C-alpha cells in the first residue's frame, strides 16, 4: 500500500476506457517509479502498459471536481465552431494543432476524446509508442523535461491541420504529408477539407470500432479521417436540414472510387436499422460493383480506374434514414471499347463475363472463355494480380439481384455485352464494284451470323449496314458502298454507341430501383466521384473535356470557400481581409463561352458545310484567341516572336489552374461529332432483341428525324452546368485524393509527383484562403473552459459571461492586441505561434494542477484507509465481545439444564418408591397396551393399501387381540375408498356405474353371460340414428326419450325362424322396426310388459311377457335374441322403475312355458352359448308334436 500511495496519479477521463471498461482510469506519470503489484491493465488499449489500479466512482467524482470544472473538456460541436474552426487538435487537445501520429508523450491530457497526448504537441516530450496503434509504452523514470525543450517539435512534421503550418511553404506542406504518410496516417486536414494519400495497401482503420468512434463525434476532436467528414456531412444533413455534397477529386489512381465507397458505407453503417431501411442501403451500396464492372477498367496508373464521372444523390427522410437515390453519369470513355494501349485493359465486364460465366451461359452467348480470341481485348490474355474476375462477376450478379434486376433483364444485358465483344471480331475484306470503285464485304460470316442470332436480326441487314451507307439526295436515296477503312469505322462506331447507350440504360435501370417516390419531403447528400485533372504526354479530346470539368470544380471550390470564410467574418463582426487568389473564371470562359469559346468553335466547325478538318479548327482558334493570355499555339507564339519547340503545329496549350496542358486537335472533330450512320440505327431498330431495340429509338422508320444529334462537347457542357447548379444549392465537403507514386507500390512516397498534385489541386491556395486574417478561431465557452486555469481571476470559476472571461484571461496573459480579435461568439487568434504559446502555458499549469490533485488524492486515500481500519477495528471488537458473551451464556445454560435433570430424577425416584407396589402392574399393562395400539395404528397409517377400488388387500393384524378391529378398519377403509372413487366420477360415469350395479343385482351368479358383459361398456345407442339418414323416421319416433337402440332378431312363433328387427327403447315405449324400411312394426307401451324371462346360460334369448289386455298381447309373448342382452334387460328394468316405480319381473329359468300360441321350450345347457345352434322340442297339447328350431345365439 505504501508503494501505491507514493505513486503520482493523474485522472484520465478516457472516453475510450469508459466505452470498454465502464470506468475512467488513473495513469501513472513518468518518473514515478515502477507500477504497483496487482495493477490492472486497461482493456481499452490492445497492448500491455503500466497502469494504475481502478478507482471507484466516488473517487472519480472527488478528483474530477478540480479538473473537469476547472479546465479541459472536449470542444463544442462543429456547428458552434463554424466552418472556420481551424486548428482544432484531433488527438490530445481539441482545439490545438497536433500531428496525431507522433510519439506518445508522458504528459497527461484531459481533452478531446480522452486519448493520451502525443509527443508532437506543445509541452510534450517523445516517449516510445507503436506507430500503428499509438499505444503508449513505458517512458522511463526520468523527470518530465522542461517545456522549452518542446519548441523544436513545433515544426511542419507535427501539424495534422495544414492551416497551422508555420511557416507556410510548399516544402513544409510536402514534408508534413510525407511524415504523416510514413506513419501510415494517410488523412490530413486543411480546415474542413480532407486530404487523402493513397497507401496502395489495406489499413486497419475502417473497422466497425472506428465507425463507432467517429459516429456523432466532434470533427476537430478526433484524428483526421474520411469518416470524420462523412459523419459531419451526415449530422449536418440530419440535424440542421442542410443538403450536403461531398466532392471527391484527384487524378486517376489517387483513390477517389474507394473514398466514395467509404463515405457511402459509413453513412449506411450509422443510419438507422430496419428491414426497409436496410434494403435501401443495400441497394445503394450494391450499385457500386455493377457500375464498376461496366464503367471501370485497368489503366497504367490504376487497376480499377473509373472511366466515367459519377454523381449520386442519396435522399434521406426527416429522421436521417436513407430513402433512395439518383445516379448521374458523365462522359463514359467509350473509345476504350475499340482501342486501349498495351498494358491496360478494356472494361472489367468483358473479362468478368469470360472468366466467371458458366459453360451454359457462354454457350448461350456464343462466347469462348479465352480473352485472346477477341480483337477488342487486344487478343491477349490479361490477368490482373489481386483481382479475381470470376468472383467479381458473381458479386456483380448478386448485386443486380439485390438491386432488383430480373433474370430476363440480366440475360438481355449480357447478350448486348456479348454483341459488343463479338463486333470486334467482324473482319472486312476489300473488293471492287463493276464501276471500279472500292467496296467492302464481310470476310468471315460466322461472327456476323452469331451476332444476328443473338439479337434476332437478318445477317444480310447487318452486313448491308456495315458495308454500305444510304445517302439521300433530294427525294432519292442512293446506296453507297464503303471502303474497308470506312467499314471498320462504322463497326467501331456501332460498338461504341451500343456500349455507351447500354451503360446509360444500366444507370437508368438502377435509378428506377433506388429512386424515391415523388411527393415525399427529403434531404439530399450528393457524392461526386469524377475524373481528376489529367496531363499526359499526348492529350486529346477526352483530356480537354475532363480538365474543363475540373476547372469548373476548382471554380466552385474557391468561390464557396471564400464565401464561407467571408460570411463567418461578417457574422462575427470581424473586418474581412481580402484574399488574393487566382480566379479561373477566365479559363472557364475561354472553354465554355457560348459565342467564342473553344467548345462553341468546335461545334461550329462540326456543323460547317464543306471540307472540315482539324487544321481549319486550329486556325480559327489561333485567330480568335491570339491575344488571350491563357491560350498558346505555335502560330500565336510565332506572332510574338517566341520559339517553343515543345509545341507542335496541330496543338494548342491552355494555362489551367493546375498547370499548362498541351492538346493535340487530332480527332477533336470526329469525337465531338460522334456520328452513327442512320443505316446502323435502323438495323438495330430492326432487331428482335427488346433491349437492343430500345437503345436506338431514332432508327424507327416511322419517325424519321433530319435533326442532327447534339455534339459530345455541348452535351457535356450542359451536364456540367446542371451539376454546378446542383452543387451550388448544397453545403460542400471536400476530399482531395493524392497518388503518392506511379508504380502503385505500397507506402512509397514520391515527393515530386505529390508536389505536382499539390500544385494543380490548389492546396497551397486553399491553405492561404483558410488562414486569411486569423488562423485560429473558437467559441468563447470552450476556449474559456480550456484555458481559464491560466488566470487567477478566472480559475476555478468565472461568474461572468464567457466573452468577458476570455478578455480578462487574455489581458492578464499580455498577448499583443493585434494578435487577437473578439467576435460576437468567437475569439480569433492571428498566428499559430500565439496559440502554441498559450498551449505551452496551459501544459505548465496542468502539471501544477496534477501535482495538487495527486497530493489531494494521497491525503484522501490515507484518510479513507484510516477510517476503514478504524471501522474494521470497531466491528471486530463488537463481534468478539458478542462471541464471548454467547459462549458464556451457553455454558450457563448447560449448567442449569444439568441441575434440572438431577432435580427431576430425584423427585421421580421419590414418587416411584411411594406408589410402585400398589398399582404398578395395572399401570405397566395399560402403558404397554396403549403403546401396542399406538404402534399398530401408526404402522397402519404409514402402510395403507393403494387407493384402487379393485385392490382389496389389507395388512394383517400384528396381534390377535386386534383382529376384529383390523377387519372393521378394513371395511371402513374400503367404503371410504369407494366413496372417494364415486366423488371423482362425472355424471355420465355415475350413470354407467349405476347401470352396471343394476346389472349386477339382476344377473350376478344367475346367468353365465353376465361375466362376459363386465368388460363391455354400456353404450345404449348401437344403430347410429343421428348419422344414418335412413333412420330419420325412427329418430322422430324416439325423439329425445331414447334409452337404447340396437339390432335384434325376433323368433317367429310359427316356425321358429329369426327375422332381423331394430329395437328402440324409450322412456315410454318399446319399438320393433323393420331394418329395411326403417318403419315401426310393433310399438309397445312399457305398461304392457308384465315380465321377462331369460335362461341361465350364455345365450342372448329374451322372452317378454305381455299383458293379455294389451293391443299386442293377443298374439302372445315376444321372443328376441339380443347381442347386448344384459344391457337391454338392465335398461328395461331401470326405465320401468323410472316410469312406473315398479321393478321388472325377471325370471331366470331353464324351461319356459309359453302362452297359448307358444309351445313349451326346453333349453339344454349350452344350447345358446357362443352363438351356436340349439334344438328345441315342445309340446303344446297335441301329442307327438315335435318341432326343431335353430337359432343363432
Amino acid at each position: 500500500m505504501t508503494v501505491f500511495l507514493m505513486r503520482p496519479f493523474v485522472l484520465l477521463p478516457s472516453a475510450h476506457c469508459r466505452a470498454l471498461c465502464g470506468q475512467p482510469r488513473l495513469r501513472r506519470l513518468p518518473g514515478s517509479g515502477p507500477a504497483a503489484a496487482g495493477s490492472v491493465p486497461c482493456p481499452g488499449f490492445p497492448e500491455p502498459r503500466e497502469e494504475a489500479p481502478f478507482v471507484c466512482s466516488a473517487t472519480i467524482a472527488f478528483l474530477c471536481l478540480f479538473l473537469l470544472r476547472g479546465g479541459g473538456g472536449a470542444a463544442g460541436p462543429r456547428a458552434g465552431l463554424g466552418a472556420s474552426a481551424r486548428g482544432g487538435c484531433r488527438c490530445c487537445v481539441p482545439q490545438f494543432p497536433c500531428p496525431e501520429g507522433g510519439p506518445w508523450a508522458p504528459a497527461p491530457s484531459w481533452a478531446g476524446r480522452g486519448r493520451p497526448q502525443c509527443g508532437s504537441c506543445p509541452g510534450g516530450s517523445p516517449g516510445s509508442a507503436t506507430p500503428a496503434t499509438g499505444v503508449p509504452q513505458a517512458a522511463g523514470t526520468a523527470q518530465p523535461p522542461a517545456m522549452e525543450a518542446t519548441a523544436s517539435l513545433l515544426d511542419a512534421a507535427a501539424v495534422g491541420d495544414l492551416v497551422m503550418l508555420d511557416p507556410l511553404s510548399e516544402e513544409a506542406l510536402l514534408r508534413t504529408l510525407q511524415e504523416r504518410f510514413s506513419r501510415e496516417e494517410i488523412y490530413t486536414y486543411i480546415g474542413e477539407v480532407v486530404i487523402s494519400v493513397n497507401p496502395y495497401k489495406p489499413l486497419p482503420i475502417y473497422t466497425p470500432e472506428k465507425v463507432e468512434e467517429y459516429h456523432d463525434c466532434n470533427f476537430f476532436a478526433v484524428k483526421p479521417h474520411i469518416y470524420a467528414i462523412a459523419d459531419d456531412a451526415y449530422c449536418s444533413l440530419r440535424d440542421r436540414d442542410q443538403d450536403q455534397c461531398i466532392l471527391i477529386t484527384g487524378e486517376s489512381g489517387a483513390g477517389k472510387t474507394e473514398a466514395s465507397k467509404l463515405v457511402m458505407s459509413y453513412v449506411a453503417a450509422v443510419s438507422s436499422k430496419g428491414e426497409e431501411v436496410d434494403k435501401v442501403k443495400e441497394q445503394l451500396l450494391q450499385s457500386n460493383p455493377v457500375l464498376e464492372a461496366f464503367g471501370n477498367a485497368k489503366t497504367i496508373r490504376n487497376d480499377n480506374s473509373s472511366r466515367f464521372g459519377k454523381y449520386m444523390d442519396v435522399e434521406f427522410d426527416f429522421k436521417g434514414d436513407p430513402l433512395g437515390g439518383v445516379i448521374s453519369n458523365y462522359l463514359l470513355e467509350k473509345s476504350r471499347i475499340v482501342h486501349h494501349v498495351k498494358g491496360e485493359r478494356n472494361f472489367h465486364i468483358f473479362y468478368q463475363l469470360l472468366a466467371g460465366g458458366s459453360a451454359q451461359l457462354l454457350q448461350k452467348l456464343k462466347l469462348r472463355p479465352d480473352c485472346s480470341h477477341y480483337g477488342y481485348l487486344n487478343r491477349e490474355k490479361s490477368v490482373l494480380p489481386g483481382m479475381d474476375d470470376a468472383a467479381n462477376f458473381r458479386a456483380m450478379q448478386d448485386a443486380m439481384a439485390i438491386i432488383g434486376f430480373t433474370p430476363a433483364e440480366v440475360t438481355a444485358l449480357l447478350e448486348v455485352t456479348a454483341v459488343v465483344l463479338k463486333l470486334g471480331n467482324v473482319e472486312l475484306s476489300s473488293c471492287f464494284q463493276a464501276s471500279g470503285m472500292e467496296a467492302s464485304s464481310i470476310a468471315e460470316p460466322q461472327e456476323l451470323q452469331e451476332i444476328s442470332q443473338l439479337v434476332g436480326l437478318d445477317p444480310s441487314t447487318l452486313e448491308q449496314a456495315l458495308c454500305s451507307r444510304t445517302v439521300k439526295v433530294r427525294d432519292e436515296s442512293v446506296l453507297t458502298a464503303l471502303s474497308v477503312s470506312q467499314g471498320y469505322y462504322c463497326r467501331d462506331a456501332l460498338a461504341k454507341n451500343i456500349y455507351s447507350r447500354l451503360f446509360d440504360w444500366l444507370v437508368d435501370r438502377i435509378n428506377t430501383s433506388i429512386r424515391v417516390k415523388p411527393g415525399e419531403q427529403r434531404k439530399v447528400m450528393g457524392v461526386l466521384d469524377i475524373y481528376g485533372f489529367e496531363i499526359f504526354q499526348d492529350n486529346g479530346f477526352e483530356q480537354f473535356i475532363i480538365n474543363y470539368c475540373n476547372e469548373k470544380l476548382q471554380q466552385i471550390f474557391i468561390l464557396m470557400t471564400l464565401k464561407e470564410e467571408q460570411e463567418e467574418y461578417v457574422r462575427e463582426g470581424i473586418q474581412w481581409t481580402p484574399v488574393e487568389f487566382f480566379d479561373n473564371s477566365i479559363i472557364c470562359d475561354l472553354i465554355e463561352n457560348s459565342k467564342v469559346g473553344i467548345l462553341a468553335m468546335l461545334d461550329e466547325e462540326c456543323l460547317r458545310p464543306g471540307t472540315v478538318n482539324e487544321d481549319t479548327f486550329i486556325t480559327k482558334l489561333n485567330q480568335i484567341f491570339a491575344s488571350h493570355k491563357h491560350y498558346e499555339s505555335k502560330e500565336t507564339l510565332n506572332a510574338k516572336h517566341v520559339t517553343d519547340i515543345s509545341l507542335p503545329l496541330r496543338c494548342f496549350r491552355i494555362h489551367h489552374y493546375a498547370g499548362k496542358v498541351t492538346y493535340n486537335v487530332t480527332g477533336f472533330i470526329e469525337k465531338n461529332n460522334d456520328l452513327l450512320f442512320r443505316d446502323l440505327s435502323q438495323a438495330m431498330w430492326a432487331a428482335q432483341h427488346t433491349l437492343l431495340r430500345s437503345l436506338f429509338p431514332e432508327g424507327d422508320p416511322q419517325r424519321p428525324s433530319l435533326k442532327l444529334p447534339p455534339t459530345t462537347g455541348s452535351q457535356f457542357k450542359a451536364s456540367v452546368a446542371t451539376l454546378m447548379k446542383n452543387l451550388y444549392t448544397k453545403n460542400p465537403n471536400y476530399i482531395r485524393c493524392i497518388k503518392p507514386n506511379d508504380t502503385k507500390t505500397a507506402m512509397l512516397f514520391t515527393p515530386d509527383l505529390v508536389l505536382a498534385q499539390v500544385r494543380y489541386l490548389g492546396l497551397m491556395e486553399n491553405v492561404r484562403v483558410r488562414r486569411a486574417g486569423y488562423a485560429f478561431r473558437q467559441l468563447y465557452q470552450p476556449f474559456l473552459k480550456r484555458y481559464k486555469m491560466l488566470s487567477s481571476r478566472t480559475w476555478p470559476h468565472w461568474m461572468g459571461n464567457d466573452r468577458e472571461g476570455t478578455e480578462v484571461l487574455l489581458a492578464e496573459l499580455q498577448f499583443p492586441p493585434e494578435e487577437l480579435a473578439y467576435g460576437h461568439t468567437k475569439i480569433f487568434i492571428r498566428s499559430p505561434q500565439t496559440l502554441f504559446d498559450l498551449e505551452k502555458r496551459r501544459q505548465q499549469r496542468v502539471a501544477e494542477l496534477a501535482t495538487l490533485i495527486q497530493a489531494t488524492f494521497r491525503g484522501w486515500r490515507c484518510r479513507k484507509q484510516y477510517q476503514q481500519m478504524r471501522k474494521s477495528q470497531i466491528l471486530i471488537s463488537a463481534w468478539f465481545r458478542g462471541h464471548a458473551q454467547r459462549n458464556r451464556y451457553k455454558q450457563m445454560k448447560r449448567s442449569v439444564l444439568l441441575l434440572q435433570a438431577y432435580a427431576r430424577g430425584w423427585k421421580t425416584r421419590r414418587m416411584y418408591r411411594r406408589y410402585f407396589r400398589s398399582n404398578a402392574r395395572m399401570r405397566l399393562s395399560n402403558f404397554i397396551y396403549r403403546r401396542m395400539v399406538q404402534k399398530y395404528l401408526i404402522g397402519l397409517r404409514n402402510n395403507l393399501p393403494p387407493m384402487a377400488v379393485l385392490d382389496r388387500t389389507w395388512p394383517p393384524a400384528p396381534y390377535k387381540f386386534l383382529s376384529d378391529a383390523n377387519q372393521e378398519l378394513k371395511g371402513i377403509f374400503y367404503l371410504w375408498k369407494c366413496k372417494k372413487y364415486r366423488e371423482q366420477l362425472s355424471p355420465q360415469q355415475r350413470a354407467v356405474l349405476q347401470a352396471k350395479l343394476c346389472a349386477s343385482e339382476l344377473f350376478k351368479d344367475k346367468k353365465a353371460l353376465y361375466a362376459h358383459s363386465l368388460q363391455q361398456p354400456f353404450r345404449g345407442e348401437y344403430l347410429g340414428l343421428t348419422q344414418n339418414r335412413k333412420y330419420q323416421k325412427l329418430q322422430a319416433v324416439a325423439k329425445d326419450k331414447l334409452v337404447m337402440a340396437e339390432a335384434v332378431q325376433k323368433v317367429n312363433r310359427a316356425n321358429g325362424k329369426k327375422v332381423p328387427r331394430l329395437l328402440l327403447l324409450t322412456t315410454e315405449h318399446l319399438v320393433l322396426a323393420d331394418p329395411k324400411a326403417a318403419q315401426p312394426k310393433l310399438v309397445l307401451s312399457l305398461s304392457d310388459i308384465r315380465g321377462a324371462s331369460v335362461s341361465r346360460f350364455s345365450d342372448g334369448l329374451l322372452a317378454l311377457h305381455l299383458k293379455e289386455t294389451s293391443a299386442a298381447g293377443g298374439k302372445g309373448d315376444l321372443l328376441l335374441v339380443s347381442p347386448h342382452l344384459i344391457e337391454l334387460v338392465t335398461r328395461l328394468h331401470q326405465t320401468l322403475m323410472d316410469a312406473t316405480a315398479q321393478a321388472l319381473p325377471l325370471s331366470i329359468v331353464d324351461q319356459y312355458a309359453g302362452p297359448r300360441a307358444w309351445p313349451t321350450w326346453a333349453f339344454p345347457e349350452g344350447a345358446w352359448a357362443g352363438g351356436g345352434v340349439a334344438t328345441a322340442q315342445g309340446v303344446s297339447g297335441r301329442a307327438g308334436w315335435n318341432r326343431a328350431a335353430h337359432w343363432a345365439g
Side-chain angles (χ1 to χ4, degrees), residues 1044-1105:
M1044 184 173 177
E1046 69 163 339
V1048 300
Q1049 292 179 323
K1050 178 176 175 292
V1051 180
N1052 199 320
R1053 299 183 184 90
N1055 51 20
K1057 292 185 177 180
K1058 296 182 290 183
V1059 292
R1061 289 289 183 266
L1062 302 179
L1063 185 144
L1064 277 68
L1065 175 62
T1066 68
T1067 56
E1068 297 176 356
H1069 298 87
L1070 188 144
V1071 182
L1072 289 177
D1074 185 3
K1076 294 182 180 180
Q1079 295 289 341
K1081 288 287 187 179
L1082 178 63
V1083 179
L1084 294 176
S1085 176
L1086 295 182
S1087 59
D1088 294 339
I1089 301 174
R1090 64 181 178 86
S1093 297
V1094 297
S1095 73
R1096 63 185 178 87
F1097 306 117
S1098 299
D1099 57 77
L1101 189 63
L1102 169 65
L1104 291 178
H1105 307 297

Side-chain angles (χ1 to χ4, degrees), residues 332-368:
L332 177 72
E333 188 190 12
K334 54 187 176 182
S335 61
R336 181 171 291 271
I337 292 292
V338 300
H339 174 71
H340 56 273
V341 300
K342 189 173 183 60
E344 295 189 353
R345 296 207 315 178
N346 212 318
F347 291 102
H348 291 326
I349 183 60
F350 300 120
Y351 305 95
Q352 293 177 4
L353 177 58
L354 297 179
S358 63
Q360 295 82 358
L361 177 61
L362 294 180
Q363 183 179 3
K364 180 179 179 181
L365 300 179
K366 305 184 185 307
L367 296 176
R368 301 182 189 176

Side-chain angles (χ1 to χ4, degrees), residues 627-661:
S627 59
H628 201 289
K629 61 181 181 179
H630 291 279
Y631 176 86
E632 290 179 359
S633 68
K634 193 75 171 179
E635 184 176 337
T636 58
L637 290 178
N638 290 339
K640 297 176 183 179
H641 306 288
V642 176
T643 302
D644 187 352
I645 59 175
S646 64
L647 189 60
L649 286 174
R650 292 170 60 88
C651 297
F652 66 92
R653 181 181 294 155
I654 295 180
H655 295 208
H656 289 284
Y657 76 94
K660 298 178 180 180
V661 183

Side-chain angles (χ1 to χ4, degrees), residues 147-186:
M147 294 300 171
E148 290 75 15
T150 63
S152 61
L153 296 176
L154 300 178
D155 57 4
V159 178
D161 189 340
L162 299 180
V163 173
M164 305 308 295
L165 273 179
D166 190 30
L168 176 62
S169 64
E170 282 186 346
E171 293 76 12
L173 188 150
L174 187 64
R175 188 167 63 252
T176 298
L177 293 179
Q178 186 170 5
E179 175 67 21
R180 293 179 61 79
F181 186 75
S182 66
R183 298 196 297 255
E184 295 187 349
E185 295 181 352
I186 62 173

Side-chain angles (χ1 to χ4, degrees), residues 629-695:
K629 61 181 181 179
H630 291 279
Y631 176 86
E632 290 179 359
S633 68
K634 193 75 171 179
E635 184 176 337
T636 58
L637 290 178
N638 290 339
K640 297 176 183 179
H641 306 288
V642 176
T643 302
D644 187 352
I645 59 175
S646 64
L647 189 60
L649 286 174
R650 292 170 60 88
C651 297
F652 66 92
R653 181 181 294 155
I654 295 180
H655 295 208
H656 289 284
Y657 76 94
K660 298 178 180 180
V661 183
T662 301
Y663 300 101
N664 191 332
V665 297
T666 303
F668 263 56
I669 293 178
E670 175 188 331
K671 295 176 180 179
N672 188 50
N673 267 327
D674 194 24
L675 294 178
L676 184 69
F677 293 151
R678 190 182 305 275
D679 302 73
L680 294 172
S681 298
Q682 291 177 350
M684 295 300 101
W685 174 264
Q688 300 300 316
H689 197 278
T690 306
L691 175 56
L692 183 63
R693 182 188 178 102
S694 66
L695 300 180

Side-chain angles (χ1 to χ4, degrees), residues 14 31 45 61 135 157 233 257 306 391 435 524 592 713 750 783 847 849 870 904 918 987 1062-1063 1105 1170 1178:
S14 170
F45 291 88
V135 179
T257 301
S306 296
S435 60
V524 179
E592 68 181 2
T750 307
F783 183 86
L849 293 176
R870 185 172 182 271
R904 283 193 297 269
S918 58
L1062 302 179
L1063 185 144
H1105 307 297

